[in-house]
Amino acid sequence: MPLDRLAAMFKALSHPQRLKIIQKLCGCCAPGAACTTRADGLRCCAGDLGADLGLAASTVSHHLKELRQCGIMEVQRCGQRVECWINPAALGQLTAFLAGAVSMHPAATGGGHGRSKR
Amino acid sequence: MPLDRLAAMFKALSHPQRLKIIQKLCGCCAPGAACTTRADGLRCCAGDLGADLGLAASTVSHHLKELRQCGIMEVQRCGQRVECWINPAALGQLTAFLAGAVSMHPAATGGGHGRSKR
DNA sequence: CCTATGTTTCGATACATGTCGAAACATCGA
DNA sequence: TCGATGTTTCGACATGTATCGAAACATAGG
């Protein structure tokens, strides 16, 4: 995974509103899961996110685009609405980078340069 | 950990050059560790980083400030030079956030909303 | 076909970021 | 004290970002 792409993903997480979106989507559903009904309060269409965040629809759309373009989120048109969900694998790549870096660090448990590298 | 601080840390990681710095510093040393001598190629003073990245000294200084202000990196003047090193705990907080989010996700292994929540 | 609802695109505005070179600051060694 | 070396701050510039409202697009339902 090239550093440019990792940096782009980290950039998508570099805004509090987008972190809120992540949290909400992670407490939410895969597409087509049972919980996509609104009654559960778990539905993840763009408008609901905007209401939660107190942002204009256009601003939310902008944030979703950021998250989508770097692969952290995916969307699907579903009638009038656009449902969105997290791609956990993308977040996994970020964790892998961070964990990998720390494990190289001498302070890592088992600690020596490159021991248990990766 | 408030979202604002997490976002600030992610922002510090949102640039490829800064990720390179992280990688280099993680392959490097805690302050005062034996490997701070240059012979090992492991020394982490600002100038060496600049040479590696091909950036002007002032630009490197700017990047280090970013990483320092959000707690990801720490520095210490050591004679003429400024040695810098990673704070692994800060990276750990980012991993914790990501891992925590993913574990909430229905696709997480063991997978149901909030099962094995944290 | 028309209207209502939800989303995206467009244009504008204010602010932040990355980069450089020049100048200032800090420390060492003669 | 003076010069050499390393780092930071300053000013400038170009580019990117967050936000909004208005307008355009998409879909559902009468």
Side-chain angles (χ1 to χ4, degrees), chain A residues 88-100:
Chain A
L91 296 186
Q93 289 176 320
L94 299 182
T95 348
F97 172 84
L98 293 174

Side-chain angles (χ1 to χ4, degrees), chain B residues 24-112:
Chain B
K24 182 155 180 77
L25 291 182
C26 277
C28 188
C29 338
C35 56
T36 30
T37 60
R38 183 150 201 176
D40 306 326
L42 288 171
R43 182 165 206 163
C44 301
C45 60
D48 292 347
L49 290 171
D52 277 15
L53 301 173
L55 292 177
S58 52
T59 306
V60 176
S61 185
H62 164 67
H63 285 313
L64 295 186
K65 195 168 163 188
E66 288 281 305
L67 289 166
R68 201 161 12 96
Q69 283 183 337
C70 72
I72 288 183
M73 218 188 68
E74 298 178 47
V75 307
Q76 182 184 34
R77 178 129 230 161
C78 228
Q80 291 170 289
R81 311 192 164 197
V82 166
E83 290 186 1
C84 36
W85 65 94
I86 287 290
N87 173 15
L91 296 186
Q93 288 175 321
L94 299 182
T95 346
F97 172 84
L98 293 174
V102 170
S103 77
M104 300 279 293
H105 194 278
T109 33

Side-chain angles (χ1 to χ4, degrees), chain A residues 56-115:
Chain A
S58 53
T59 306
V60 175
S61 186
H62 163 68
H63 285 313
L64 295 185
K65 194 169 165 187
E66 288 282 305
L67 290 165
R68 200 162 11 98
Q69 283 182 337
C70 71
I72 288 183
M73 220 190 65
E74 298 178 49
V75 307
Q76 182 185 34
R77 178 128 230 161
C78 228
Q80 292 170 287
R81 310 191 164 198
V82 166
E83 290 186 2
C84 34
W85 66 95
I86 287 291
N87 173 15
L91 296 186
Q93 289 176 320
L94 299 182
T95 348
F97 172 84
L98 293 174
V102 170
S103 77
M104 299 278 294
H105 193 278
T109 31
H113 292 90
R115 282 249 267 119

